[in-house]
Amino acid sequence: MSNSYLSTLICRQAKKYGDRIALKYRDYETESWISVSWNQFAEKVNWVSNALIALGAEVQENIGVFSQNMPECLYTDFGAFGSRIVTIPLYATSSEAQVHYILQDAGIRFLFVGEQYQYDVACRVQNLCKTLKQIIIFDPKVKRSASDTNSIYYSDFLKLGMERKFQAEVDKRTSESGNGDLANILYTSGTTGESKGVMLHHSCYEAAFAAHDGRLTTLGESDVVMNFLPFTHIFERAWSYYCINKGCLLCINLRPQDIQKTIKEIRPTAMCSVPRFWEKVYAGVQEKINETTGLKKSLMLDALKVGKEHNITYLMNGKTPPPLLHMKYKFYEKTIYSLLKKTIGIENGNFFPTAGAAIPRAVEEFVHSVGINMIAGYGLTETTATVSCCWFDSFRIGSVGRVMPNLEIKIGENNEILLRGETITKGYYRKEAMTRQVLTEDGWFHTGDAGYIEDGFLFLTERIKDLFKTSNGKYIAPQAIETKLVVDRYIDQISIIADQRKFVSALIVPEYGQVKKYAEEHHIAYTDMKDLLQKQEILDLFRLRIDTLQQEFAHYEQIKRFTLLPEPFSMDKGELTNTLKIKRPVLMKNYAKEIEKMYEE
């Protein structure tokens, strides 16, 4: 195969599927979903290839896409691949400093932006950034600033390609493309420091597709896939490319906070998400059970018990459930489980890949008990997403599944997971020293994650960098404690403090609605949230819940003191990365006063 697979993918799919629907996106003015056929998709992609050459974009030049999920992101990506151009996605919520850093580091001349926020940031950065030559705006409703003379709207950009004046050059580039070409550079938002550009070549995606064909055997052209995570995230990006490759219908969700509404409008068969999505579902069900009484309550509790026994105790361990249990399970499948799935909007579910953080055990058991096919997995930007994943009949609670067929794995010192294979990055863009820190001469990649393999299943234990050592010399894995506690319906966010400290403490962002409800039910008077969170009754409530949840931890791992925060951790304050992971160093600084107070004698 001479040309790179992705450079001709959409064109090949259009020949195969023609006027079948390839994409849908939500029009917020008419509250309706607009369809794009494979032929329309291919036509737009071809215009983009032509228009990029019209602008003067060169072979293997880097262009930026700074936008929330829109069909235009995909037109731009595949149009760029057709002309051997590299695309660099930026998170829609990125700050000015982050955007400036990436544009400079990658020498970006052409930047595509989504809506008003991205346009405004790009304009401010353009004054500081020597390389940025032109901004191309996706959303026609964006108001351009008075001093802006050279940005163009996407519709005008496409016009540069509609007459296909550069088709001969596009064809030449496509025929010269190969899987050794660079496809994307993905900047990781680093929980620890400076962001690094992970280089992913076309060969990485081709190897990932081949590996997934052997594992995700039920995904095909009848699947309706909801897109919810940002395309900037390797998980959603590689998954979406793969779904397009399988001929699925991709439904693009523009605003992540709308997922509860859009999932009910689309009722997808598949969607990849982070554990947070399922934690919210689990919390909602627990809430419902708490509010219910009598027969209905005992039926719901029994349904969960039966499901757990049937799917986890028996099926997960390769045993056949006894006939009576199986009959009860079938009854609940038609009643309680199906009602629950319908309420969420996933009654047509095929399977739901989940990764990006540890899945709390209680949440994972619940999802499997009610027969939702959540496929737990593990991957990094540097590995083109999937390293390992579970599958329908082969999963273990707490495991991230079996390693993908094309990867070699070994467990190194400190139980670090090392990987080698075609999907592994060739390094960080223009950062040779950093590349050498993670990639050995003979091609082993150091993940920085610790884990072990049991019966062919991979289990993660902790991020090696994240291990805390108390002043008494004991090692603490903060994520294990956080994952255990975040399932509590009163806890929204939590960060463990323990490094070089005498004991473990925690900063907790409560689920404010639940706390208010508790205050009402127990007639606790208060002026504002800050006042409420200092009330002894509320502190006692949290103490009790924390103590109940942390029983299984060793004495030195248990939370001795905690602080309830009246405001959530936020990206604005630099406390969360773009993928909503906690930046511990920032929290240590922002809450230094509260932390010190917990360690006063």
Side-chain angles (χ1 to χ4, degrees):
M1 189 163 73
S2 59
N3 48 26
S4 71
Y5 189 76
L6 291 174
S7 63
T8 55
L9 175 60
I10 308 303
C11 178
R12 286 198 313 274
Q13 295 292 59
K15 283 198 179 94
K16 183 174 174 185
Y17 297 118
D19 289 324
R20 248 187 82 158
I21 300 170
L23 306 171
K24 276 186 176 183
Y25 63 95
R26 196 175 195 279
D27 180 329
Y28 275 83
E29 293 191 342
T30 60
E31 299 262 315
S32 61
W33 288 81
I34 294 176
S35 300
V36 178
S37 71
W38 283 103
N39 281 338
Q40 290 168 316
F41 190 179
E43 183 176 56
K44 289 260 174 47
V45 163
N46 181 265
W47 291 346
V48 171
S49 296
N50 274 270
L52 283 167
I53 293 173
L55 287 184
E58 291 159 19
V59 170
Q60 291 285 274
E61 173 170 347
N62 298 330
I63 62 169
V65 179
F66 177 28
S67 171
Q68 49 290 87
N69 295 351
M70 297 165 96
E72 287 80 0
C73 298
L74 295 173
Y75 305 153
T76 305
D77 262 348
F78 287 99
F81 298 153
S83 293
R84 294 185 70 193
I85 290 162
V86 183
T87 62
I88 301 182
L90 289 84
Y91 283 99
T93 47
S94 297
S95 67
E96 219 164 299
Q98 286 167 323
V99 173
H100 186 209
Y101 171 79
I102 293 173
L103 295 187
Q104 292 279 76
D105 192 59
I108 290 172
R109 293 194 297 158
F110 304 107
L111 179 65
F112 292 79
V113 298
E115 298 182 330
Q116 195 71 45
Y117 170 78
Q118 292 87 20
Y119 169 76
D120 293 343
V121 170
C123 277
R124 292 196 294 273
V125 170
Q126 194 167 20
N127 302 325
L128 314 164
C129 191
K130 301 286 171 278
T131 54
L132 185 56
K133 193 175 131 186
Q134 190 158 41
I135 296 169
I136 299 113
I137 308 162
F138 288 159
D139 184 358
K141 296 192 284 297
V142 167
K143 306 249 185 302
R144 289 166 50 180
S145 81
S147 59
D148 173 8
T149 52
N150 75 339
S151 73
I152 56 171
Y153 288 103
Y154 200 66
S155 52
D156 295 322
F157 163 75
L158 289 178
K159 280 181 193 144
L160 299 173
M162 280 179 189
E163 289 175 17
R164 304 178 198 260
K165 284 185 191 156
F166 297 92
Q167 193 58 42
E169 174 64 14
V170 172
D171 294 342
K172 179 173 176 288
R173 288 193 187 186
T174 304
S175 69
E176 289 169 358
S177 72
N179 66 9
D181 282 351
L182 194 52
N184 298 136
I185 301 172
L186 301 187
Y187 280 82
T188 59
S189 50
T191 49
T192 44
E194 188 187 19
S195 89
K196 319 182 275 286
V198 178
M199 296 189 287
L200 294 180
H201 288 73
H202 284 269
S203 56
C204 295
Y205 286 110
E206 288 175 29
F209 287 1
H212 284 76
D213 282 346
R215 184 73 51 96
L216 308 185
T217 46
T218 64
L219 187 74
E221 47 194 50
S222 56
D223 277 289
V224 177
V225 178
M226 188 78 194
N227 145 252
F228 155 53
L229 298 178
F231 284 138
T232 311
H233 196 301
I234 185 58
F235 187 18
E236 184 68 72
R237 170 170 293 260
W239 163 252
S240 297
Y241 286 0
Y242 184 64
C243 291
I244 288 169
N245 168 55
K246 298 301 278 184
C248 307
L249 163 59
L250 201 60
C251 303
I252 301 171
N253 181 60
L254 178 80
R255 304 192 179 127
Q257 67 273 18
D258 288 348
I259 187 64
Q260 256 89 24
K261 178 165 75 175
T262 55
I263 200 169
K264 289 191 189 82
E265 292 173 343
I266 292 296
R267 304 199 171 264
T269 63
M271 174 179 90
C272 73
S273 69
V274 287
R276 195 83 191 106
F277 176 82
W278 297 109
E279 284 166 22
K280 295 253 191 233
V281 170
Y282 172 77
V285 171
Q286 292 304 319
E287 190 50 25
K288 190 94 186 113
I289 291 172
N290 282 328
E291 288 167 0
T292 315
T293 52
L295 180 65
K296 202 170 163 196
K297 182 174 188 145
S298 50
L299 270 177
M300 283 164 90
L301 290 170
D302 190 54
L304 291 180
K305 188 170 143 266
V306 165
K308 187 174 167 178
E309 210 178 322
H310 186 276
N311 292 344
I312 297 173
T313 313
Y314 282 94
L315 293 184
M316 183 182 91
N317 295 305
K319 296 190 254 186
T320 308
L324 185 64
L325 178 68
H326 186 64
M327 234 167 75
K328 282 174 87 171
Y329 181 78
K330 284 295 178 203
F331 167 70
Y332 285 134
E333 205 172 40
K334 289 193 178 67
T335 52
I336 291 181
Y337 310 149
S338 78
L339 182 67
L340 168 69
K341 291 176 196 172
K342 222 182 182 102
T343 311
I344 309 167
I346 58 167
E347 70 272 24
N348 304 326
N350 176 356
F351 65 93
F352 298 93
T354 304
I359 306 167
R361 190 179 179 94
V363 173
E364 197 178 0
E365 286 185 346
F366 156 75
V367 169
H368 283 294
S369 298
V370 299
I372 295 170
N373 286 312
M374 177 176 79
I375 305 295
Y378 160 63
L380 301 107
T381 310
E382 289 89 342
T383 58
T384 321
T386 325
V387 167
S388 64
C389 70
C390 293
W391 193 231
F392 282 70
D393 50 357
S394 114
F395 68 94
R396 288 284 178 280
I397 298 291
S399 156
V400 288
R402 298 177 185 275
V403 174
M404 296 303 274
N406 61 338
L407 274 178
E408 292 178 78
I409 183 170
K410 67 178 180 186
I411 305 294
E413 56 181 309
N414 297 331
N415 296 326
E416 184 178 13
I417 297 165
L418 306 182
L419 301 162
R420 187 163 68 177
E422 282 290 293
T423 51
I424 307 285
T425 179
K426 294 185 173 35
Y428 300 118
Y429 187 66
R430 303 201 334 214
K431 286 189 171 47
E432 275 173 38
M434 277 186 170
T435 300
R436 279 198 302 274
Q437 280 172 16
V438 298
L439 272 174
T440 63
E441 289 287 305
D442 54 354
W444 287 99
F445 169 67
H446 285 259
T447 61
D449 288 310
Y452 61 92
I453 295 172
E454 190 177 279
D455 300 334
F457 286 91
L458 178 63
F459 290 81
L460 302 181
T461 47
E462 64 261 328
R463 276 297 289 165
I464 289 166
K465 303 200 272 285
D466 265 359
L467 271 188
F468 290 162
K469 193 176 183 181
T470 64
S471 53
N472 313 323
K474 299 279 195 195
Y475 281 103
I476 308 275
Q479 287 173 329
I481 308 171
E482 289 161 356
T483 307
K484 186 80 192 158
L485 292 175
V486 81
V487 300
D488 188 274
R489 62 193 171 107
Y490 285 97
I491 297 176
D492 184 30
Q493 295 167 308
I494 179 168
S495 180
I496 293 295
I497 315 289
D499 210 23
Q500 304 303 320
R501 302 282 186 175
K502 292 192 295 266
F503 56 81
V504 178
S505 70
L507 294 171
I508 294 175
V509 175
E511 192 64 73
Y512 300 122
Q514 293 289 354
V515 177
K516 281 186 192 156
K517 203 165 139 190
Y518 183 87
E520 260 164 53
E521 287 165 4
H522 294 79
H523 311 294
I524 304 167
Y526 62 97
T527 50
D528 57 11
M529 190 45 73
K530 193 175 170 196
D531 174 42
L532 178 58
L533 295 178
Q534 286 166 357
K535 298 279 183 199
Q536 196 54 50
E537 298 100 314
I538 299 296
L539 294 171
D540 291 345
L541 167 75
F542 275 85
R543 181 76 267 169
L544 178 70
R545 299 188 82 86
I546 290 167
D547 287 345
T548 308
L549 285 166
Q550 65 178 3
Q551 283 167 2
E552 67 184 65
F553 292 114
H555 187 65
Y556 64 86
E557 293 174 304
Q558 295 185 359
I559 297 167
K560 304 287 183 282
R561 292 184 186 166
F562 60 88
T563 302
L564 302 178
L565 303 172
E567 279 178 15
F569 301 142
S570 75
M571 280 202 274
D572 298 343
K573 293 183 285 194
E575 294 161 353
L576 299 174
T577 69
N578 287 309
T579 54
L580 303 183
K581 290 191 178 84
I582 287 170
K583 288 189 178 178
R584 299 187 194 276
V586 180
L587 291 186
M588 298 299 284
K589 203 170 78 202
N590 290 4
Y591 297 99
K593 209 165 81 240
E594 289 84 348
I595 292 168
E596 285 319 313
K597 202 167 169 211
M598 291 192 284
Y599 290 96
E600 282 170 7
E601 284 306 321

